[in-house]
């Protein structure tokens, strides 16, 4: 019984650490603060955890992270997270240089496309290089960020996206285009389209991938001298007629990039 309890605590600790970086440690603190024999132990622990976690996430961490070379993404009218989850889980930290670049990209893009926002997904955690933000192994140094593609309803650009989580709804290759997914899966890379299980549900079925707006957006990315690499699926690079050598193929060992754009600093 004690062993099972311990296993449970370890499991929660790992889960919270993987999802939020600081949650696991705060869970341990709340275990420590609420004594074993106290009344309504589980409820009290949950309350302690929630309060400390919220204070840490929204007040303490944003003030400490600059000492670790990272800052919270500065949101604006034109730059926003896909959902509150990314901010609640501390997945919205970047190096100051990346913060400057994404604001600039958002402003450039919305100037060209009135009313359309730059929507970001997973960036990095606030602390420690080499601490990966799973499932993205490379998002571990403050220099990486994922952003959403842009979609349109009846030709009019929209801020709607097709997936609740922000990942896993693909802009598939047509029969005339190269099918990278089939190629990678045939080679045994079973994980290549794994994010299809991570949508948390598909929404806004009336929207369609906008070739024009996504080309605009990626060209703005390419034109930033601070941006090193950009990952999208090869069939989209072709379809959008993009030729910059900053736009690379991420390799079959990664996952599909026709549900989002990844880019990183040099
Ligand atoms: Zn990424």
């Amino acid at each position: 019984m004690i062993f099972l309890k311990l296993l449970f605590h370890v499991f929660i600790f790992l889960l919270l650490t993987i999802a939020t970086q600081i949650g696991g440690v705060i869970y341990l603190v709340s275990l420590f603060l609420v004594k074993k024999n106290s009344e309504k132990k589980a409820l009290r622990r949950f309350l302690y955890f929630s309060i400390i976690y919220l204070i840490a996430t929204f007040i303490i961490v944003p003030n400490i992270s600059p000492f670790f070379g990272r800052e919270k993404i500065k949101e604006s009218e034109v730059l926003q997270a896909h959902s509150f989850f990314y901010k609640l889980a501390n997945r919205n930290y970047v190096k100051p240089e990346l913060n400057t670049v994404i604001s600039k990209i958002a402003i450039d893009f919305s100037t060209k496309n009135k009313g359309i926002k730059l929507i970001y997904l997973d960036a990095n955690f606030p602390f420690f290089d080499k601490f990966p933000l799973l499932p993205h192994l490379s998002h571990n140094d403050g220099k990486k960020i994922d952003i959403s593609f842009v979609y349109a309803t009846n030709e009019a650009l929209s801020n709607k996206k097709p997936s609740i989580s922000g990942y896993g709804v693909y802009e598939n290759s047509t029969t005339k285009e190269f099918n990278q997914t089939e190629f990678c899966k045939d080679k045994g890379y079973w994980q290549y389209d794994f994010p299809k299980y991570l949508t948390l549900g598909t929404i806004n079925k009336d929207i369609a991938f906008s070739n024009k707006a996504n080309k605009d957006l990626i060209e703005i990315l390419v034109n930033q001298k601070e941006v090193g690499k950009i990952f999208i699926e090869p069939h989209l690079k072709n379809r959008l007629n993009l030729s910059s050598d900053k736009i690379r193929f991420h390799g079959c060992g990664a996952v599909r990039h026709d549900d989002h754009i990844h880019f990183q600093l040099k």
Side-chain angles (χ1 to χ4, degrees):
M1 199 53 197
I2 290 173
F3 176 72
L4 274 184
K5 267 189 184 165
L6 186 68
L7 205 64
F8 173 77
H9 289 319
V10 169
F11 175 74
I12 301 288
F13 171 81
L14 289 177
L15 195 71
L16 287 167
T17 302
I18 288 168
T20 71
Q21 192 175 47
I22 63 168
V25 172
I26 294 174
Y27 180 68
L28 294 184
V29 170
S30 61
L31 288 186
F32 177 76
L33 288 176
V34 178
K35 295 282 170 282
K36 268 186 193 148
N37 48 8
S38 48
E39 258 180 76
K40 296 187 182 159
K41 187 176 65 181
L43 179 68
R44 282 170 149 237
R45 281 181 175 162
F46 178 73
L47 283 177
Y48 271 70
F49 171 80
S50 304
I51 293 166
I52 301 171
Y53 183 83
L54 291 175
I55 293 173
T57 297
F58 293 105
I59 299 168
I60 301 173
V61 173
N63 288 299
I64 302 178
S65 67
F67 297 105
F68 292 79
R70 311 226 180 136
E71 51 186 41
K72 205 165 154 170
I73 293 174
K74 289 192 190 83
E75 294 206 342
S76 68
E77 189 51 44
V78 291
L79 174 63
Q80 282 165 19
H82 176 69
S83 75
F84 183 63
F85 166 78
Y86 292 95
K87 297 188 273 186
L88 181 64
N90 300 293
R91 301 170 83 95
N92 58 335
Y93 283 80
V94 290
K95 285 198 177 286
E97 189 186 8
L98 183 51
N99 224 349
T100 311
V101 176
I102 40 178
S103 321
K104 184 167 180 300
I105 294 165
I107 292 168
D108 283 3
F109 184 68
S110 71
T111 309
K112 241 184 150 180
N113 300 279
K114 277 272 163 289
I116 303 304
K117 300 171 184 184
L118 185 68
I119 300 297
Y120 67 86
L121 304 164
D122 275 332
N124 312 264
F125 282 134
F127 306 119
F128 313 126
D129 282 356
K130 300 205 166 74
F131 190 111
L133 181 138
L134 294 177
H136 320 270
L137 289 173
S138 82
H139 288 223
N140 63 2
D141 57 4
K143 296 179 176 183
K144 322 273 162 62
I145 189 166
D146 292 343
I147 56 175
S148 291
F149 281 122
V150 183
Y151 300 83
T153 324
N154 303 324
E155 309 289 307
L157 291 185
S158 154
N159 283 312
K160 291 183 187 169
K161 310 294 174 195
S163 141
I164 290 181
S165 71
Y167 291 95
V169 176
Y170 301 121
E171 179 61 20
N172 287 309
S173 52
T174 63
T175 49
K176 287 180 188 151
E177 290 171 334
F178 174 60
N179 190 332
Q180 186 68 55
T181 303
E182 204 173 78
F183 177 89
C184 289
K185 292 190 92 171
D186 282 351
K187 288 202 151 181
Y189 293 94
W190 62 271
Q191 91 301 334
Y192 196 66
D193 63 349
F194 184 76
K196 68 185 173 197
Y197 300 112
L198 305 177
T199 63
L200 303 179
T202 57
I203 44 172
N204 299 322
K205 303 242 159 89
D206 57 325
I207 58 175
F209 185 86
S210 166
N211 288 339
K212 162 98 180 44
N214 286 302
K215 184 178 165 75
D216 271 3
L217 175 57
I218 295 167
E219 279 176 342
I220 293 172
L221 293 179
V222 165
N223 288 333
Q224 310 302 315
K225 60 176 189 319
E226 298 87 350
V227 171
K229 292 179 203 162
I230 302 164
F231 296 151
I232 54 170
E233 285 301 290
H235 71 270
L236 295 179
K237 182 176 180 182
N238 256 323
R239 187 191 299 175
L240 304 183
N241 238 319
L242 295 160
S243 57
S244 165
D245 59 9
K246 285 188 181 179
I247 307 170
R248 312 272 177 87
F249 174 54
H250 37 272
C252 285
V255 292
R256 291 174 73 161
H257 281 68
D258 51 358
D259 58 342
H260 73 278
I261 303 167
H262 165 107
F263 75 92
Q264 60 193 66
L265 296 178
K266 274 182 182 145

